[in-house]
Amino acid sequence: MRDKLFGNNRISRRNFLAVAGSVPLAAAATARAQVPASPEEQPNILIILSDQLAQQAVGAYGNRYVRTPNIDVLARGGVRFSKAYSSCPLCQPVRACLWTGRLPHQSGVDSNGMNYPVPTVSKRTPTLGDIFSKAGYEAVNFGKRHDAGSLRGFRLADIEKAELDAPEAWPVSYDSRQDVPTTRKVVEFLGRERNRPFIAIASLNNPHNICDWIGAFEGPHEDLPLPEGELPPLPANFEIKDFENRPLPVQYLCCSHRRLRMAAPWNKLNYRHYLAAYYHYTKMMDAQVGEILAALRASSAAKNTIVVFLSDHGDGMGAHRMVTKQVSFYEEMTRIPLIFAGPGLTGRGKILREPLTSSIDLLPTLCDLAGLKAPAGLPGRSMAPWLSGESNPPVNEYVVSQWQTEWGYTVSPGRMLRSERFKYTCYLEGNGEELYDLEKDPGETRNLIRDKGYRKELERHRRLLKEYTRNTRDPFFGQGVTVDPRWRSHKPGYAYHEGPSAPEAAWAEQEQQQKNSGGTR
């Protein structure tokens, strides 16, 4: 079954008709929409979604310190995109991007809610589940949701928790406890016979467990009793050497982000503990990916199933002294793994280094692979021509990522525009900008915003950002900044932070008000 899963067999003549070289993509898409395929011709699609997995934390993308053997096997039998980016480095907004094919300002889902509520995705907005279920697919989501209604059209499997033993150095939270029954349910689903195609999402939490790990090891701590292996080294871009040259939201990230506030006093050894824990939770997730892929190989669906592995966004991984994700658009937070494997794909084991792609490209790509018509007016494009080996596949001149706020306690909107060679970021607060030459400086250690030698590139990227906002009607330049001055008051530098972060201070104030009024939080 393994060879069938990893791309030696074609699904049917119909699949990839648009990218076989004889029919232009647009014309073929129209033809597909007019002549629906029979169920036996349509491929199954299995999406394995990891939460908070940076591309740099995957062995198949070059990391020598993490163990991801199952993802690596999938990559060797499939096609990897190198320049794949999250459309927003935050869970709920980017998941809405994945399942609607629309950017946060278009879906309305631009935060994780709480003090900055977001609407449920409009019923007028077609979703991935809508499209595939109406085409006769069995559509099921297993595991994490956090979708603001964008999983509409999918049957939502119940989320359960399992009891787990854990080493003292790597405690488990709901993230790890939920992933066990989620994996079991996916395995059971794949083992069943069915008479129609399916699209299934295996949404795994890990390595998101690292967030609660930070809470467990807040502040400086002694060496931990690691159960195995040596501590990984710090990244080469651990320090920010031009801190004063970074935008204000980045300089004061410790004030808006409670996890970085917890990590701000850490020493270098503590950051290495963090990386070891992050790799541990990644390894746990990889083992569950292995269980799922083994179940698929053993099933009758293997010969006709396309597997997609990706993450919603990345993690700071200690680069620039950052942990988890918030506000910033550095590579560790925004660059994600994206792997396609299965029948009908060409270039087995290939890494596609040319095309820029992002979260909003997933929906039109999956529609293309299944021979379904994608909704009109989507901002993304199908990557199917790259997967079929078309001679002149279309390219994105740039991809964009957005930031608004996590929970609304500080609101400092920003945009990232990644072109072939450069990354440009713009924040409204303080007119903060960054420009990085990623060919010469992949670690983003030197902001070129004041370098006269890059003036033309800076102006070009400013024009591209304005072009993007016009084309997508992104109201970015007209948005407001809401940041209390106390969250910009200490000496720049995470180590100088004292007291709570903005959300923690707000929660404490709310709790005190409730106590004063005789209520409970």
Side-chain angles (χ1 to χ4, degrees):
M1 285 294 186
R2 179 170 169 177
D3 285 342
K4 293 181 180 179
L5 173 60
F6 293 134
N8 285 341
N9 297 290
R10 298 273 170 182
I11 300 171
S12 69
R13 171 187 172 276
R14 183 181 170 283
N15 282 294
F16 288 96
L17 177 63
V19 290
S22 59
V23 184
L25 180 61
T30 302
R32 286 199 302 266
Q34 294 171 345
V35 185
S38 59
E40 63 270 16
E41 287 183 307
Q42 290 183 294
N44 303 306
I45 295 173
L46 174 61
I47 304 167
I48 305 177
L49 178 63
S50 172
D51 191 339
Q52 205 157 307
L53 180 66
Q55 187 184 108
Q56 295 182 25
V58 179
Y61 283 96
N63 189 308
R64 296 180 292 122
Y65 303 102
V66 70
R67 281 182 282 176
T68 53
N70 296 293
I71 300 171
D72 298 348
V73 167
L74 186 71
R76 286 197 295 272
V79 180
R80 281 163 281 179
F81 285 86
S82 174
K83 295 176 181 175
Y85 286 85
S86 173
S87 297
C88 177
L90 190 65
C91 293
Q92 186 167 242
V94 73
R95 286 167 184 263
C97 293
L98 291 170
W99 312 140
T100 68
R102 300 184 184 276
L103 290 159
H105 77 275
Q106 296 170 323
S107 70
V109 184
D110 56 2
S111 81
N112 273 353
M114 205 169 294
N115 199 49
Y116 200 92
V118 299
T120 299
V121 170
S122 170
K123 292 183 179 180
R124 295 190 298 272
T125 300
T127 65
L128 185 68
D130 280 340
I131 296 165
F132 276 77
S133 60
K134 289 176 181 176
Y137 272 74
E138 181 181 5
V140 191
N141 179 83
F142 298 94
K144 182 166 182 170
R145 301 169 188 173
H146 208 180
D147 65 307
S150 60
L151 282 170
R152 187 180 65 246
F154 284 92
R155 175 172 66 82
L156 305 179
D158 292 340
I159 298 175
E160 301 174 6
K161 294 181 184 178
E163 293 301 318
L164 292 178
D165 294 326
E168 179 185 350
W170 297 322
V172 293
S173 68
Y174 73 91
D175 290 305
S176 297
R177 292 197 295 269
Q178 288 178 354
D179 280 354
V180 173
T182 292
T183 301
R184 172 178 51 80
K185 290 183 179 186
V186 176
V187 168
E188 292 171 353
F189 173 83
L190 293 172
R192 296 203 302 268
E193 296 295 327
R194 51 183 51 80
N195 57 9
R196 58 175 174 148
F198 68 80
I199 179 169
I201 303 170
S203 186
L204 300 173
N205 291 319
N206 269 328
H208 191 273
N209 200 145
I210 193 64
C211 295
D212 283 302
W213 185 93
I214 297 170
F217 295 98
E218 176 180 345
H221 50 271
E222 299 299 322
D223 198 7
L224 299 179
L226 298 180
E228 60 182 48
E230 297 181 0
L231 288 172
L234 292 173
N237 58 348
F238 174 68
E239 300 286 3
I240 303 180
K241 296 180 180 178
D242 60 346
F243 200 85
E244 72 289 344
N245 201 25
R246 306 291 167 127
L248 283 174
V250 174
Q251 290 188 34
Y252 289 95
L253 182 53
C254 50
C255 295
S256 63
H257 185 23
R258 66 175 178 140
R259 296 305 187 189
L260 186 55
R261 192 278 303 166
M262 294 172 176
W266 282 356
N267 57 36
K268 290 183 178 181
L269 183 62
N270 296 157
Y271 271 96
R272 294 178 69 191
H273 295 157
Y274 172 80
L275 274 175
Y278 182 66
Y279 291 162
H280 170 74
Y281 299 123
T282 298
K283 185 175 72 171
M284 290 178 65
M285 177 271 301
D286 178 82
Q288 287 153 345
V289 170
E291 291 182 49
I292 292 169
L293 293 179
L296 178 59
R297 291 187 193 104
S299 75
S300 60
K303 66 181 183 297
N304 195 32
T305 299
I306 295 171
V307 179
V308 186
F309 177 84
L310 76 162
S311 65
D312 53 359
H313 53 74
D315 181 278
M317 294 183 65
H320 307 98
R321 285 185 173 263
M322 292 181 182
V323 297
T324 75
K325 75 286 175 189
Q326 211 216 48
V327 173
S328 74
F329 297 105
Y330 297 124
E331 292 288 271
E332 292 78 11
M333 273 88 154
T334 56
R335 197 164 183 169
I336 58 173
L338 178 60
I339 302 168
F340 287 79
L345 310 185
T346 61
R348 179 173 175 171
K350 186 176 182 180
I351 302 179
L352 296 174
R353 302 187 186 280
E354 301 85 3
L356 286 161
T357 185
S358 69
S359 309
I360 57 172
D361 294 333
L362 180 67
L363 186 149
T365 300
L366 294 181
C367 286
D368 236 4
L369 297 181
L372 304 177
K373 185 177 181 180
L378 292 178
R381 71 165 74 236
S382 171
M383 292 290 110
W386 289 93
L387 297 170
S388 72
E390 186 179 296
S391 57
N392 292 298
V395 296
N396 289 316
E397 184 182 4
Y398 54 80
V399 292
V400 170
S401 187
Q402 300 186 2
W403 179 264
Q404 192 73 9
T405 181
E406 184 176 15
W407 291 315
Y409 300 107
T410 58
V411 181
S412 192
R415 296 293 184 267
M416 176 200 88
L417 190 144
R418 168 63 155 105
S419 63
E420 181 181 1
R421 176 173 173 177
F422 294 91
K423 179 186 287 184
Y424 170 69
T425 76
C426 178
Y427 294 87
L428 298 181
E429 184 182 0
N431 296 315
E433 294 177 293
E434 296 169 291
L435 182 69
Y436 299 103
D437 184 340
L438 294 179
E439 284 188 6
K440 294 183 177 180
D441 181 23
E444 298 161 299
T445 61
R446 181 170 172 251
N447 186 4
L448 302 171
I449 210 71
R450 295 186 177 92
D451 190 317
K452 294 180 180 179
Y454 287 87
R455 190 69 188 180
K456 288 184 179 180
E457 285 298 338
L458 174 60
E459 294 299 334
R460 181 172 78 92
H461 284 75
R462 284 172 172 168
R463 288 195 300 272
L464 287 175
L465 183 62
K466 290 179 180 178
E467 170 192 287
Y468 145 79
T469 59
R470 288 194 302 270
N471 291 344
T472 66
R473 298 184 180 180
D474 183 348
F476 172 62
F477 289 109
Q479 292 178 329
V481 175
T482 306
V483 180
D484 191 298
R486 62 178 162 161
W487 307 125
R488 300 292 185 262
S489 60
H490 68 68
K491 181 180 178 180
Y494 305 146
Y496 297 108
H497 184 94
E498 295 182 355
S501 62
E504 292 169 309
W507 298 336
E509 290 169 7
Q510 291 168 8
E511 186 172 357
Q512 187 60 50
Q513 290 172 359
Q514 289 173 345
K515 286 181 179 179
N516 293 341
S517 64
T520 57
R521 186 166 184 258

